[in-house]
Amino acid sequence: MTGPGDNAMKNGSGQDGVIECRGVWYRLEGDRPGAEPRGRVLLSDLSLRAERGETLVLLGRSGSGKTTTLKLINRLLEPTSGEVQVDGRRTTDWDPIRLRRRIGYVIQEVGLFPHFTIERNVGLVPQLEGWPPDRIRARVEELLRLVGLEPAEFAGRRPRELSGGQRQRVGVARALAADPPILLMDEPFGALDPVTRTELQSEFRALAARLGKTILFVTHDVREALLLGTRIALLAEGRLVAIHSPLDFLRATQPEVKEFVSALGIGEKDFIL
């Protein structure tokens, strides 16, 4: 498994794994049945930078612009103005397919192909990249073990034969399959029961430290943000309110930050980071 500097050494770029938004605005351009109205601004002058190897948590209420930010990074959307850069290159200068294969994407619903085995789900991107079958098989086995699923027991199953927590583990393994330098995670544990969610949060924290990937993690759960984030970026109504380390987030004086902290019901001294 590669460490945080390996991709940069291979590609010779100090920007590998770095994500930057520079004055990004995103405004809905068209109307669709049941969609948001034309002209609504979803992001307003967003500027932030995720450094290689850090977990930057995007925290905020529903509609604050968190998922829109991920979609702009993955070029599922393009900014109305400003620019998004990945590895020092504007996303609009990337071939979309090549860009997305450098980015692992994990969503709440997982999105596994129901008719594929777990092995085939995890190995899909390496297969598309032209890896030989033996290398794909070895990578799948490595990743299933990494996320706590024994290959002999789980590789041949279908997604319907797994629990929600197990499917979410497979989703993480699939996102890591081609060893991308960047992971985008959109409320990946939000649909799980509290016990499973706590277990996966703890395991993910250890996994993130081990892998050294650049991770943007979306959540509306302040406890999750404090537990998992290297830094926390609070968004509200499409604008960036503040970026703090977890400890500084607990101490921050911005009213929007204090509102989230107050929801914890505990003080800085009571929260173990």
Side-chain angles (χ1 to χ4, degrees):
M1 190 65 64
T2 59
D6 293 344
N7 286 310
M9 288 188 288
K10 284 186 287 189
N11 296 317
S13 169
Q15 294 292 308
D16 279 50
V18 174
I19 302 167
E20 189 165 11
C21 297
R22 297 181 173 182
V24 173
W25 290 74
Y26 182 72
R27 180 179 291 106
L28 290 169
E29 299 294 341
D31 292 326
R32 300 186 313 278
E36 299 281 1
R38 181 194 301 267
R40 184 187 168 195
V41 175
L42 301 187
L43 282 179
S44 304
D45 197 23
L46 176 67
S47 294
L48 57 80
R49 179 181 171 99
E51 301 293 346
R52 185 172 68 236
E54 81 163 319
T55 299
L56 178 61
V57 172
L58 303 183
L59 176 68
R61 299 175 183 271
S62 297
S64 61
K66 307 183 300 297
T67 296
T68 299
T69 302
L70 294 194
K71 290 181 177 180
L72 287 163
I73 293 167
N74 213 24
R75 206 179 168 186
L76 296 173
L77 300 174
E78 295 189 4
T80 304
S81 62
E83 64 182 40
V84 180
Q85 292 191 358
V86 172
D87 296 352
R89 248 174 106 185
R90 292 180 299 181
T91 53
T92 51
D93 291 338
W94 279 89
D95 173 76
I97 301 301
R98 299 310 309 166
L99 174 65
R100 290 167 196 155
R101 288 186 186 173
R102 289 186 59 76
I103 298 173
Y105 206 171
V106 185
I107 59 176
Q108 187 177 125
E109 297 84 3
V110 186
L112 300 178
F113 292 103
H115 55 294
F116 283 7
T117 63
I118 299 309
E119 179 178 13
R120 193 173 175 194
N121 266 288
V122 175
L124 181 60
V125 173
Q127 181 183 1
L128 294 172
E129 291 283 270
W131 290 22
D134 288 350
R135 185 184 176 196
I136 295 173
R137 190 176 306 109
R139 181 64 171 164
V140 170
E141 291 179 359
E142 175 190 13
L143 288 171
L144 289 180
R145 290 192 181 98
L146 187 69
V147 299
L149 299 174
E150 181 54 45
E153 181 178 355
F154 291 97
R157 295 190 186 184
R158 298 293 196 280
R160 66 177 180 275
E161 299 175 277
L162 273 57
S163 69
Q166 290 168 341
R167 287 194 297 272
Q168 204 64 56
R169 291 169 190 263
V170 174
V172 172
R174 184 178 62 179
L176 292 169
D179 201 19
I182 295 168
L183 285 181
L184 305 180
M185 307 189 74
D186 195 353
E187 300 201 55
F189 311 138
L192 302 176
D193 66 85
V195 173
T196 303
R197 181 171 186 168
T198 299
E199 290 174 350
L200 288 185
Q201 286 170 345
S202 178
E203 293 175 13
F204 173 78
R205 185 179 185 182
L207 184 64
R210 176 179 172 182
L211 296 180
K213 305 289 185 184
T214 305
I215 301 170
L216 262 68
F217 190 106
V218 162
T219 186
H220 61 269
D221 183 336
V222 66
R223 288 179 182 271
E224 187 167 70
L226 290 165
L227 177 66
L228 302 182
T230 306
R231 291 184 298 152
I232 301 167
L234 180 62
L235 277 67
E237 297 180 344
R239 61 186 180 86
L240 178 65
V241 174
I243 300 183
H244 295 298
S245 70
L247 186 57
D248 287 342
F249 191 88
L250 289 169
R251 296 170 173 169
T253 58
Q254 291 102 330
E256 297 94 337
V257 177
K258 292 177 73 173
E259 185 177 5
F260 267 87
V261 172
S262 68
L264 287 169
I266 59 175
E268 170 192 328
K269 295 179 181 179
D270 302 310
F271 200 88
I272 300 173
L273 299 175

